[in-house]
Amino acid sequence: MRFVEVTEVAADIDQVWAVQTDIERWPEWTASVRSARRLESGPFTLGSSARLEQPWLRPAVWRVTEIDPPRFFAWESDGPGVHSRGEHRLTPLPDGRVRVELVVVQTGPLAAVTGLLGGRALRRYLRMEADGLNRRCAQV
């Protein structure tokens, strides 16, 4: 199952990257995350991990598996029967805005069932994240 949300943010790429990678502050700007805690200190890099709590979902630990600052990071999490990969792609636009693509890909034996039962909520969470990112970047 693959879920995608795209938005354009009126901010420069470094600003959007800074907001996206300040994981512990996500609950301040998106209602899709109740709490977020980095599991180690230091810069957000390959191997960084965080524990996220989201409404109606089990708490999950996400570990960065790919990163290309300030354009892209992917992180992954495993749950019962489902492997999830979240991608955050930033593309600078000629007018100074940034195109943000948020993607969640779920695989594994229960991915189809999980997608059917929770796909609507997942799409809503991606939209909340995109909208919240726009608001947060406008404030910075």
Side-chain angles (χ1 to χ4, degrees), residues 15-96:
Q15 180 182 354
V16 179
W17 180 258
V19 171
Q20 276 276 274
T21 58
D22 190 358
I23 306 303
E24 290 187 332
R25 297 189 79 174
W26 282 20
E28 296 175 12
W29 54 264
T30 179
S32 66
V33 177
R34 280 194 193 138
S35 73
R37 182 174 49 91
R38 287 276 311 274
L39 299 181
E40 65 282 311
S41 60
F44 189 75
T45 62
L46 188 65
S48 290
S49 57
R51 183 178 189 272
L52 298 183
E53 292 183 20
Q54 297 181 269
W56 307 106
L57 297 177
R58 293 173 159 225
V61 172
W62 291 83
R63 182 168 309 282
V64 176
T65 55
E66 290 181 55
I67 192 166
D68 180 20
R71 296 180 182 271
F72 176 78
F73 80 88
W75 58 358
E76 301 183 25
S77 180
D78 287 305
V82 180
H83 176 81
S84 298
R85 175 181 168 92
E87 299 176 358
H88 300 77
R89 188 173 311 275
L90 309 180
T91 305
L93 300 172
D95 63 1

